[in-house]
Amino acid sequence: MKQKEICNDKIGKRNICRLIPRVDSLMEEKEIREMIREYGYNCVLRVVRQTLDELREEIRNGTREEIQDEIREKIRDEIREETKEQIRKSAMERIGENLRKEMRMNLTSVVNGTGIILHTGLGRAPLGEEVLRHAAAVAGGYSNLEFDLGTGKRGERCVNFDETVCRVTGAEAALAVNNNAAAMLLILSSLASGGEVVVSRGELVEIGGGFRIPEIMELGGALLREVGTTNRTRPEDYRKAIGEETKALLKVHTSNYRIIGYTQETPLEKLAALGEETGLPVIQDLGSGVLIDLAKYGLTHEPMVQEAVKGGADVVAFSGDKLLGGPQAGIIVGRKKYIDKMKRHPLARALRIDKFTAAALEAVFRQYLDPDRAVERIPALGMLTRPAETVRKDAEKMAARLSAVISAGDASSDRTEADITVEACVSRAGGGSLPEENIESYAVAVSAPEITAEELASRLRKLERPVIGRISGEKLLLDMRTIREEDMAYLESVFRDGKILQRDMSPQKKTYPQKNEIRQKDEMPRKEGEQ
Ligand SMILES: *Cc1c(COP(=O)(O)O)cnc(C)c1O
């Protein structure tokens, strides 16, 4: 570029920067005043300043297309007003966009099309309406969380909840803490600290997310005494390991894996008898807190909390948000003398649940007073037990609705064609529960010849309310088992909008990947070991 042109260019840019509206004049605009009402003065002021800085920067870099030509010619009077108006308009638009972006919550509700019911990444069990309503009512105001309404004095947290839990599980006493990992920590710290805990080598579980039985044990100040072998542990193995230092016998449900073949597991009843004989507490970590007989619904029977209590376990721990279908919590049930000891331990205070959880837990447990009702009202159980045939009908309905909105579409020329079909697929319980269960299911499959399945999945993830699907070959699958009735209208609106199937959404023209381009591996639902 010649010296003179560069000089003109600079002057041009400086002139254009002068056309950027002033902050105080913008703040008086009607649209901005409305934004102030919605988001607050300080917030809007900050975003207005930030947006004007962005514009100025873009003009200096010459990245604003609409004024390139004007820069070359310098600003002539006749286009001065026009350019000024143009910049004002784009400033307003950008301010609105920036504000909405800034105000949007980072933690947000998503549509789960993965078919993994207790997806740890997506927040495990969704809560039912009644439960949410109760939790909102309790947490939205004051409650008797730790207040004894009989005496009018300070009371114990969760006594009402304890009663319901005991009725449902058949246990003498109950306690709830932050999660099951916390429950195990509290149990081991209060019952076995400074001593040994006997556990089978086949049950030294790693749950994922850093929860390993040996490490929790160490943290709880207990020494691990491993007995038996990976595949076989007999009652005699436990008996031989018991000594002066022994404080407890531990049984861990191998939630997320199975040992098959030449195996022998010591049944709880045998361990309980040994505990009785030696006066040692028998602790059982059940993982998922199953309170209904899953075999009744054609699924593999998982050890139930009631069975553990009846089978003689002195202390049983399980999660609130796995197959129980409630909020995140660790629930401990068992003999009163042990539970009381835990309640007095300082860790109980550090690990205690909050009022949201306390309210939601009680509400969920109440639903279990009638197991049929629990299956009807608890979303995770409903999804788990829904017959494949019902899911298929939903998939067909959804596919028809999506096909209709896509073909009706606004016929904008830059929307691609898309093929919507129904495909058989496999759902999973997730959350490390029922690892071997292939739950028969159906998905709506979306494929668009001009958009890769990865691109489509990524666009769906970037929606204001993201939709999470699964990729299978060239198709994006939305497993209808985990898609809720109220999500269906939303999905319809997403595809009606047309942007999701737009040919090119990126500002720089992007070329479409070739057919033989390396693609992400087929994302079958993984057997969620990681929890
Ligand atoms: C899931 C699980 C845990 C951890 O429970 P969280 O509620 O996720 O903390 C502990 N033990 C077993 C056997 C589990 O399956």
Side-chain angles (χ1 to χ4, degrees):
M1 222 189 270
K2 275 180 269 160
Q3 194 58 41
K4 199 166 165 231
E5 271 178 50
I6 292 171
C7 185
N8 281 347
D9 199 33
K10 261 195 186 152
I11 294 168
K13 284 179 186 176
R14 209 175 302 141
N15 280 340
I16 290 185
C17 282
R18 275 200 209 109
L19 300 182
I20 290 182
R22 290 164 46 106
V23 174
D24 43 3
S25 82
L26 266 186
M27 293 300 280
E28 293 297 315
E29 297 255 1
K30 187 167 159 272
E31 280 168 88
I32 298 279
R33 286 213 306 270
E34 268 162 32
M35 292 181 199
I36 292 172
R37 250 196 305 281
E38 190 169 347
Y39 302 112
Y41 181 84
N42 294 304
C43 219
V44 175
L45 180 63
R46 180 165 32 79
V47 172
V48 166
R49 283 192 175 133
Q50 171 208 323
T51 309
L52 296 185
D53 285 347
E54 277 172 27
L55 285 178
R56 207 166 287 124
E57 193 58 34
E58 286 168 17
I59 290 170
R60 281 200 197 108
N61 298 339
T63 47
R64 290 201 66 81
E65 270 176 38
E66 77 260 34
I67 43 186
Q68 284 298 299
D69 294 341
E70 287 91 312
I71 290 173
R72 302 265 170 268
E73 296 176 34
K74 289 177 65 180
I75 305 292
R76 276 179 281 121
D77 279 349
E78 61 266 32
I79 61 159
R80 198 184 157 82
E81 281 311 307
E82 207 178 299
T83 312
K84 197 171 171 180
E85 181 51 27
Q86 217 171 40
I87 292 178
R88 196 198 68 91
K89 248 178 77 187
S90 52
M92 290 301 266
E93 264 169 36
R94 186 79 76 86
I95 288 165
E97 239 169 68
N98 282 347
L99 258 175
R100 276 191 300 277
K101 216 189 290 170
E102 197 178 291
M103 288 299 143
R104 191 147 76 209
M105 295 287 181
N106 287 325
L107 180 58
T108 181
S109 151
V110 308
V111 174
N112 177 6
T114 65
I116 299 167
I117 298 162
L118 302 166
H119 195 301
T120 300
L122 304 185
R124 287 198 189 156
L127 298 178
E129 221 169 276
E130 288 171 331
V131 172
L132 286 175
R133 227 179 299 124
H134 181 60
V138 167
Y142 297 106
S143 63
N144 59 335
L145 183 67
E146 269 187 29
F147 185 80
D148 187 329
L149 294 172
T151 63
K153 296 207 171 80
R154 177 79 180 253
E156 211 183 284
R157 187 165 292 220
C158 297
V159 272
N160 310 358
F161 156 77
D162 291 359
E163 239 178 64
T164 317
V165 176
C166 291
R167 196 167 307 145
V168 172
T169 60
E172 264 175 38
L175 169 65
V177 288
N178 189 49
N179 54 24
N180 195 25
M184 288 309 294
L185 180 61
L186 177 59
I187 293 168
L188 294 169
S189 304
S190 54
L191 302 185
S193 182
E196 284 182 5
V197 175
V198 185
V199 62
S200 158
R201 288 202 167 87
E203 297 173 5
L204 297 173
V205 183
E206 166 164 341
I207 302 301
F211 180 90
R212 288 173 153 192
I213 289 293
E215 283 164 15
I216 290 280
M217 197 83 84
E218 201 180 310
L219 210 55
L223 220 60
L224 182 69
R225 186 68 198 268
E226 302 171 32
V227 297
T229 60
T230 305
N231 55 337
R232 292 173 75 93
T233 305
R234 301 178 186 84
E236 271 318 291
D237 296 329
Y238 287 93
R239 181 188 295 279
K240 273 187 281 178
I242 295 173
E244 287 283 291
E245 303 299 313
T246 312
K247 294 262 181 121
L249 307 175
L250 172 65
K251 194 159 175 54
V252 183
H253 178 47
T254 55
S255 336
N256 52 358
Y257 69 97
R258 294 282 180 265
I259 295 176
I260 52 169
Y262 181 60
T263 63
Q264 181 179 1
E265 189 188 344
T266 298
L268 174 65
E269 287 71 15
K270 288 261 168 64
L271 211 57
L274 191 58
E276 184 105 36
E277 187 190 318
T278 53
L280 294 168
V282 173
I283 302 163
Q284 183 161 28
D285 176 5
L286 268 186
S288 240
V290 184
L291 293 168
I292 56 162
D293 182 4
L294 291 176
K296 263 171 82 177
Y297 301 92
L299 298 156
T300 312
H301 177 84
E302 274 274 291
M304 293 162 64
V305 178
Q306 297 92 320
E307 290 167 350
V309 171
K310 213 183 234 166
D314 298 294
V315 176
V316 184
F318 50 97
S319 284
D321 57 353
K322 290 189 183 170
L323 287 173
L324 190 94
Q328 179 193 303
I331 299 141
I332 309 170
V333 300
R335 293 206 194 288
K336 190 164 183 311
K337 65 170 177 178
Y338 296 126
I339 301 280
D340 281 346
K341 205 166 169 197
M342 289 174 215
K343 284 183 175 169
R344 289 192 301 268
H345 194 279
L347 265 182
R349 170 65 179 80
L351 303 174
R352 77 180 182 193
I353 56 172
D354 71 310
K355 57 189 172 191
F356 283 98
T357 308
L361 262 184
E362 186 186 353
V364 173
F365 267 96
R366 294 231 157 204
Q367 293 176 328
Y368 277 106
L369 290 172
D370 182 340
D372 294 337
R373 197 173 144 122
V375 174
E376 257 167 49
R377 311 257 171 114
I378 297 173
L381 291 184
M383 290 179 195
L384 189 69
T385 57
R386 248 167 100 218
E389 200 42 38
T390 319
V391 180
R392 189 176 63 81
K393 284 193 185 123
D394 274 356
E396 272 161 8
K397 238 184 277 165
M398 188 78 254
R401 282 167 74 172
L402 292 189
S403 300
V405 292
I406 289 171
S407 58
D410 51 12
S412 70
S413 58
D414 55 356
R415 173 202 273 198
T416 80
E417 312 236 311
D419 206 19
I420 310 280
T421 53
V422 171
E423 304 227 334
C425 65
V426 168
S427 310
R428 300 228 174 257
S433 315
L434 301 169
E436 290 302 307
E437 197 85 42
N438 295 325
I439 306 164
E440 190 193 334
S441 189
Y442 289 89
V444 170
V446 186
S447 59
E450 290 171 72
I451 306 170
T452 61
E454 285 83 5
E455 169 66 17
L456 191 55
S458 147
R459 287 182 189 182
L460 287 168
R461 283 199 307 271
K462 286 185 193 128
L463 290 169
E464 202 154 320
R465 181 161 180 245
V467 174
I468 317 295
R470 199 163 82 210
I471 292 165
S472 169
E474 306 284 315
K475 293 173 181 168
L476 179 95
L477 300 190
L478 298 171
D479 187 329
M480 290 306 291
R481 185 173 290 281
T482 47
I483 291 178
R484 312 173 74 179
E485 173 120 38
E486 58 270 31
D487 297 333
M488 288 169 74
Y490 171 68
L491 281 176
E492 196 180 323
S493 74
V494 163
F495 282 89
R496 182 183 295 120
D497 179 25
K499 270 207 208 78
I500 211 77
L501 292 172
Q502 203 168 301
R503 275 209 172 81
D504 190 12
M505 290 196 356
S506 56
Q508 311 93 350
K509 284 265 176 281
K510 203 168 62 182
T511 50
Y512 290 101
Q514 300 301 305
K515 263 249 167 349
N516 55 359
E517 194 183 50
I518 300 166
R519 20 186 343 156
Q520 212 174 309
K521 259 195 5 219
D522 191 337
E523 265 183 38
M524 270 310 280
R526 52 195 176 108
K527 293 188 179 178
E528 264 227 337
E530 176 82 15
Q531 296 161 43

